[in-house]
Amino acid sequence: MQSLAEAERTAGRRLALVPTMGALHEGHLALVREAQKHADCVTVSIFVNPTQFSPDEDFEAYPRDLQADTLKLEGIADAVFAPTAEEMYPFGVPPYFSMNIRNLNRHLCGAFREGHFEGVATVVAKLFLACRPHVAVFGKKDAQQLVIIRRMAEELGFGIKIIGHSIVREADGLALSSRNQYLNPEERRQAVVLSESLREAKAAIERGERDADTLRKQIQSHIKTQPLAEVQYAEIVDSETLQPVKVLKTGQYLVALAVFVGETRLIDNTTLYLEEPTA
Ligand code: AMP
């Protein structure tokens, strides 16, 4: 991969990377199309990264179909980088990034998935070193991941432009996810409650609600209307520091949630900007 990337760079071409764990859907393909706009050569990495799963998570069950994924990428990506775990981690699990990444992993998913973002930061750093891109595209669906990767790329001076792409959704609002495959028809029906509750929260804010606790409770009680759905967290944080806020003022906020629908953990979020009120 490095020699391919090096040859492309020497030929003066701009390289883009779209890191994924495979089981590709339209959300991933939208990222690939976005990458095309910024580069001459788009690489998609497909790697179910063991270091970002904790022992009780779905690493083994995670859907894998490299052949189908490669077919989906035909005509839109120039290279697929699908290393094995042994190639990525020849010395076993690496100890890198075992720090608290400037508190960015303290809340939201970071509070519930111990070691997850350290695993993500490590694998993305390694993918950057292997694929040597000028730009990399990530989805805003994993909003905390995007903020952490952006910070890591800046702090370590990778010189890679990080692009965030908006969330791609099903017609009823459910954010596309490889994990949606786990849902049975009834769970799939109830899963719409994630995006619905975010839309309601946004509407409440537009009507003037500024108390984060009230908004959180509204989201939680909306989600409770679906018997198979159980909230893991519903948070309103500053979109840059990812620290919870009590009262919304002027600024940019992230309303983010993780919800179990049956056994399946789904995440979703929305960003909102509150401007200075005009006189
Ligand atoms: P994953 O394969 O789930 O690790 O995701 C790979 C990339 O695709 C990440 O940057 C995700 O944020 C992004 N992604 C996954 N689902 C969506 C979606 N529905 N809309 C936009 N980006 C997505």
Side-chain angles (χ1 to χ4, degrees), residues 12-254:
R13 285 193 271 274
R14 268 179 81 72
L15 311 186
L17 173 67
V18 181
T20 80
M21 297 205 300
L24 300 181
H25 51 64
E26 272 305 313
H28 296 115
L29 301 186
L31 268 54
V32 180
R33 289 191 201 98
E34 179 67 32
Q36 284 179 328
K37 295 184 201 159
H38 302 270
D40 309 302
C41 179
V42 177
T43 298
V44 176
S45 65
I46 297 180
F47 179 59
V48 184
N49 173 36
T51 70
Q52 70 189 66
F53 289 80
S54 58
D56 60 336
E57 291 183 340
D58 57 341
F59 175 69
E60 297 295 338
Y62 200 84
R64 291 164 173 88
D65 192 343
L66 186 56
Q67 210 178 353
D69 287 345
T70 313
L71 277 175
K72 287 179 196 156
L73 293 171
E74 238 168 59
I76 58 167
D78 301 278
V80 174
F81 178 52
T84 63
E86 291 72 30
E87 284 166 323
M88 286 300 272
Y89 302 118
F91 305 103
V93 175
Y96 315 130
F97 300 110
S98 61
M99 78 287 201
N100 180 343
I101 309 160
R102 306 264 184 230
N103 278 334
L104 293 173
N105 58 350
R106 189 156 162 197
H107 299 283
L108 311 176
C109 293
F112 294 93
R113 302 188 71 185
E114 212 196 324
H116 171 69
F117 287 112
E118 288 86 344
V120 168
T122 303
V123 79
V124 171
K126 289 181 69 93
L127 292 170
F128 283 174
L129 292 167
C131 302
R132 313 231 23 231
H134 297 88
V135 303
V137 184
F138 292 84
K140 292 185 183 171
K141 165 145 183 292
D142 298 86
Q144 188 170 21
Q145 166 173 286
L146 177 59
V147 172
I148 289 173
I149 296 302
R150 236 188 211 128
R151 182 67 66 85
M152 179 198 68
E154 251 177 71
E155 290 213 16
L156 298 185
F158 270 105
I160 296 171
K161 184 172 177 196
I162 308 297
I163 294 165
H165 188 281
S166 54
I167 302 176
V168 180
R169 298 176 178 282
E170 300 279 7
D172 67 355
L174 177 67
L176 297 192
S177 163
S178 306
R179 290 189 168 99
N180 291 351
Q181 300 185 20
Y182 298 150
L183 303 170
N184 68 32
E186 183 53 26
E187 290 167 345
R188 168 64 190 83
R189 205 183 59 73
Q190 296 192 21
V192 74
V193 78
L194 279 87
S195 58
E196 256 174 29
S197 66
L198 289 171
R199 261 203 318 276
E200 276 201 356
K202 214 165 182 172
I205 293 164
E206 272 155 21
R207 287 194 305 269
E209 183 56 65
R210 291 291 180 270
D211 183 65
D213 220 28
T214 307
L215 289 161
R216 253 200 321 270
K217 282 183 185 135
Q218 275 175 10
I219 294 172
Q220 280 166 344
S221 57
H222 184 85
I223 289 169
K224 275 208 188 99
T225 61
Q226 297 298 341
L228 299 175
E230 196 180 322
V231 183
Q232 184 179 61
Y233 69 77
E235 291 285 348
I236 301 166
V237 299
D238 178 288
S239 67
E240 221 172 283
T241 64
L242 302 185
Q243 303 310 301
V245 292
K246 282 196 161 54
V247 179
L248 280 71
K249 299 178 184 138
T250 308
Q252 189 172 316
Y253 299 97
L254 180 71

